């Protein structure tokens, strides 16, 4: 079956992932969704796509997801690499296993997905990949040490991949959200945000939708902050 446009979204059962899936479906993409909880199956059914239960840290689950998208729809136009949150705690109290788990969760998942979808996108003449990162990727936060360190690496991978595959018309960018309404935000944190509120997950999805769209056809290798002014660098 040939579909006009197909989008893979991971960790799509709730929060930012679900918001991205719904926005891309509104834009005409057929969603192919994955979530560890299995909630993505219900979201996909609601949106007219297909969903699977699985983990972004399992290479076999990612391979099955990409294979299903290609076999069912014949193409993959967009990928949104969304994940959960790695371990937190005092910097030197975080165990080796927690660092390794974080590497699988926020960096190697993107590397593995890129290996899987690049041949498909190259053969069909292009595609767009967006990695959901964090505001602390380039202004590291002691509150989120594993995420800050490893997602700085994700930013570097995003740039290296984008440069290497620009000639194939495959674009890769990252979105760096601040705090969102998918988690409780206390008054102290809220006061640190210049806009005075967390983002709605739909606002993050709007940025993702732009980056995968033809309107962003000349945008690649970028790390776009969508954080309400939380970070200080320009």
């Amino acid at each position: 079956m040939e579909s006009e446009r197909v989008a893979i979204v991971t960790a799509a059962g709730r929060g930012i992932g679900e918001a991205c899936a719904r926005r891309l479906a509104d834009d005409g993409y057929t969603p192919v969704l994955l979530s560890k909880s299995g909630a993505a199956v219900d979201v996909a059914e609601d949106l007219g796509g297909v969903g699977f239960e699985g983990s972004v840290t399992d290479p076999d689950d990612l391979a099955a997801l990409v294979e299903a998208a290609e076999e069912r729809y014949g193409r993959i136009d967009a990928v949104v690499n969304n994940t959960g949150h790695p371990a937190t705690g005092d910097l030197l109290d975080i165990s080796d296993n927690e660092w390794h788990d974080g590497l699988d969760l926020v960096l190697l998942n993107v590397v593995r997905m890129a290996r899987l979808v690049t041949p498909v996108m190259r053969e069909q003449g292009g595609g767009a990949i967006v990695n959901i990162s964090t505001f602390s990727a380039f202004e590291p936060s002691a509150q989120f040490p594993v995420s800050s360190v490893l997602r700085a690496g994700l930013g570097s991978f995003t740039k290296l991949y984008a440069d290497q595959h620009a000639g194939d018309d495959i674009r890769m960018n990252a979105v760096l959200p601040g705090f969102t309404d998918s988690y409780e935000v206390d008054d102290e944190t809220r006061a640190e945000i210049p806009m005075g509120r967390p983002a709605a997950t739909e606002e993050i999805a709007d940025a993702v939708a732009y980056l995968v769209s033809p309107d962003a056809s000349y945008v690649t290798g970028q790390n776009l902050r969508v954080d309400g002014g939380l970070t200080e660098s320009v």
Side-chain angles (χ1 to χ4, degrees):
M1 173 183 176
E2 288 288 337
S3 178
E4 187 170 332
R5 289 186 298 177
V6 176
I8 288 176
V9 185
T10 60
R14 63 179 299 274
I16 290 174
E18 180 182 359
C20 289
R22 293 190 179 278
R23 172 57 197 272
L24 292 179
D26 287 345
D27 288 350
Y29 290 85
T30 298
V32 179
L33 310 181
L34 180 76
S35 70
K36 192 172 183 179
S37 69
V41 176
D42 294 331
V43 175
E45 183 176 345
D46 186 41
L47 298 175
V50 60
F52 300 91
E53 181 176 346
S55 173
V56 298
T57 64
D58 187 327
D60 291 337
D61 287 349
L62 293 180
L65 180 70
V66 171
E67 182 179 358
E70 188 177 15
E71 286 186 353
R72 284 174 180 255
Y73 303 112
R75 59 187 299 111
I76 299 169
D77 298 276
V79 174
V80 181
N81 288 307
N82 183 47
T83 69
H85 299 279
T88 59
D90 184 81
L91 184 64
L92 299 184
D93 289 339
I94 298 168
S95 69
D96 284 6
N97 284 340
E98 288 172 321
W99 281 106
H100 284 294
D101 289 345
L103 183 67
D104 271 333
L105 184 66
V106 304
L107 178 55
L108 286 180
N109 67 305
V110 174
V111 177
R112 291 164 179 156
M113 180 66 81
R115 291 187 187 121
L116 292 165
V117 301
T118 299
V120 180
M121 290 182 169
R122 184 188 291 124
E123 185 171 346
Q124 72 193 20
I129 303 169
V130 176
N131 306 318
I132 305 299
S133 182
T134 177
F135 74 94
S136 65
F138 300 111
E139 293 184 17
S141 167
Q143 188 177 356
F144 308 106
V146 176
S147 182
S148 298
V149 170
L150 296 177
R151 282 176 165 143
L154 175 59
S156 294
F157 179 82
T158 297
K159 174 59 174 167
L160 290 170
Y161 178 94
D163 289 353
Q164 183 168 335
H165 294 284
D168 299 317
D169 200 23
I170 304 173
R171 298 182 296 106
M172 180 182 281
N173 293 286
V175 167
L176 281 57
F179 294 95
T180 69
D181 63 3
S182 54
Y183 293 92
E184 187 66 30
V185 177
D186 60 35
D187 290 340
E188 182 180 357
T189 300
R190 188 181 298 266
E192 295 175 358
I193 305 170
M195 292 193 73
R197 63 173 179 85
T201 54
E202 292 79 7
E203 292 176 298
I204 308 303
D206 288 343
V208 171
Y210 163 70
L211 288 172
V212 303
S213 76
D215 291 338
S217 59
Y218 203 60
V219 181
T220 194
Q222 302 304 305
N223 291 275
L224 176 64
R225 295 177 174 90
V226 187
D227 62 7
L230 182 61
T231 49
E232 296 180 356
S233 58
V234 296

